[in-house]
């Protein structure tokens, strides 16, 4: 019998998610590890290895049961060499051949890609962008990432470093960014900025979910905050829509939890300002797969790459 299971890993800024998925991408087992305190590269690699070992041993998997191991990682990835160029928010990683290290350890096929690209892949194959040929997926959180599907395929660019939507600059003089640029969208709609504005408006720290709850209850200040975020995101999307002419834009990540107030404003701005032909039939929808999109995308990558 052909191997049956994929093991998927989603490495975030503070935690490491590992999951076991069946051929229909159902998550059968999951393991969560906080990695916030791991400052050394070797410790993080060891943690990844241990998490995979944990899932293998508690599900009594043999090597021949495993199709492969897929990793979604928070930075630019060389998919052919299976190596990490670097992580913008985790120090000490430069040209690390993580794929080879894990292949030698587990003797199964290993594939790596950028986490936002894998979310886009998952939403396209199984989620809100399913059935569309041309889609743009955006994930809003501390970082703002994206993935572009053109003609049903993930668009990579020369170095697999395309779709860095959070690093599209929106003016000349804004703040410097970790990426080396200035005035990046991320600085205007990322979690940090939203929390900062909430502090100014409400006079204290308020969690993102609470701002969303208040907006749903009709709180004027909370609604105004989400509308301002929607305006900024909408303006950037006008450029994306005019340039790429997608059928659908899928928005996910924590900030998308703001719901209707945010989406209404984004749609308003895009239909008012984007060119008529491009915006006429465009859909702007919320992501479907939630926090599991990265894991599911990693498993989709493994299946599609091993099927040749
Ligand atoms: Zn940037």
């Amino acid at each position: 019998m052909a191997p049956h299971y994929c093991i998927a890993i989603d490495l975030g800024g503070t935690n490491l998610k590992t999951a076991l998925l069946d051929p229909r991408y159902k998550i059968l087992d999951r393991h969560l590890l906080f990695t916030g305190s791991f400052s050394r590269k070797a410790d993080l690699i060891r943690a990844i290895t241990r998490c995979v070992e944990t899932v293998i041993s508690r599900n009594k998997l043999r090597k021949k049961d495993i199709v492969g191991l897929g990793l979604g990682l928070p930075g630019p990835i060389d998919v052919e060499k299976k190596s990490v160029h670097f992580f913008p928010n985790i120090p000490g990683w430069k040209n690390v051949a993580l794929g080879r290290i894990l292949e030698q350890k587990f003797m199964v096929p290993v594939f790596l890609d950028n986490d936002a690209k894998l979310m886009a892949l998952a939403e396209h194959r199984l989620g809100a962008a399913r059935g569309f040929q041309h889609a743009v997926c955006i994930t809003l959180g501390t970082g703002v990432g994206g993935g572009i599907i053109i003609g049903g395929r993930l668009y990579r660019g020369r170095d697999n470093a395309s779709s860095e939507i959070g690093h599209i600059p929106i003016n000349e003089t804004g703040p410097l960014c970790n990426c080396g640029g200035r005035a990046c969208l991320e600085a205007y709609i990322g979690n940090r900025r939203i929390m900062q504005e909430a502090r100014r408006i409400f006079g204290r720290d308020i969690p993102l979910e609470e701002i969303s709850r208040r907006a749903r209850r009709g709180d004027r200040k909370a609604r105004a905050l989400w509308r301002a975020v929607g305006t900024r995101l909408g303006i950037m999307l006008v450029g994306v829509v005019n340039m790429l002419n997608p059928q659908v834009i899928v928005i996910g990540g924590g900030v998308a939890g703001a719901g209707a107030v945010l989406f209404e404003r984004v749609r308003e701005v895009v239909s008012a300002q984007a060119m008529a032909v491009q915006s006429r039939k465009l859909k702007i929808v919320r992501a479907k797969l939630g926090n599991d999109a990265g894991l599911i995308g990693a498993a989709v990558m493994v299946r599609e790459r091993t099927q040749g």
Side-chain angles (χ1 to χ4, degrees), residues 164 166-169 175-187:
E164 290 286 0
H167 300 281
I168 294 179
L176 287 170
C177 179
N178 272 348
C179 76
R182 183 185 274 286
C184 290
L185 179 72
E186 197 168 282

Side-chain angles (χ1 to χ4, degrees), residues 135-247:
V136 173
C137 300
I138 299 174
T139 133
L140 306 174
T142 307
V144 173
I148 300 169
I149 305 282
I150 296 179
R153 294 168 60 99
L154 194 62
Y155 174 72
R156 298 186 175 282
R158 187 194 61 193
D159 299 301
N160 192 35
S162 65
S163 5
E164 290 286 0
I165 289 166
H167 300 281
I168 294 179
I170 59 173
N171 64 49
E172 280 178 71
T173 55
L176 287 170
C177 179
N178 272 348
C179 76
R182 183 185 274 286
C184 290
L185 179 72
E186 197 168 282
Y188 295 86
I189 66 166
N191 282 0
R192 270 187 221 106
R193 173 65 175 262
I194 297 171
M195 304 297 280
Q196 223 176 54
E197 289 186 10
R199 198 177 308 134
R200 188 172 49 75
I201 294 168
F202 298 105
R204 62 181 179 87
D205 284 324
I206 293 188
L208 219 62
E209 298 76 28
E210 176 61 22
I211 311 171
S212 299
R213 254 196 304 278
R214 288 184 183 206
R216 276 197 295 277
R217 286 200 308 254
D219 179 311
R220 262 216 210 118
K221 289 178 182 169
R223 291 183 67 84
L225 197 165
W226 286 126
R227 282 180 66 83
V229 172
T231 304
R232 293 173 210 147
L233 176 58
I235 287 170
M236 191 278 300
L237 289 179
V238 168
V240 168
V241 167
N242 287 350
M243 188 165 77
L244 294 174
N245 188 201
Q247 293 161 297

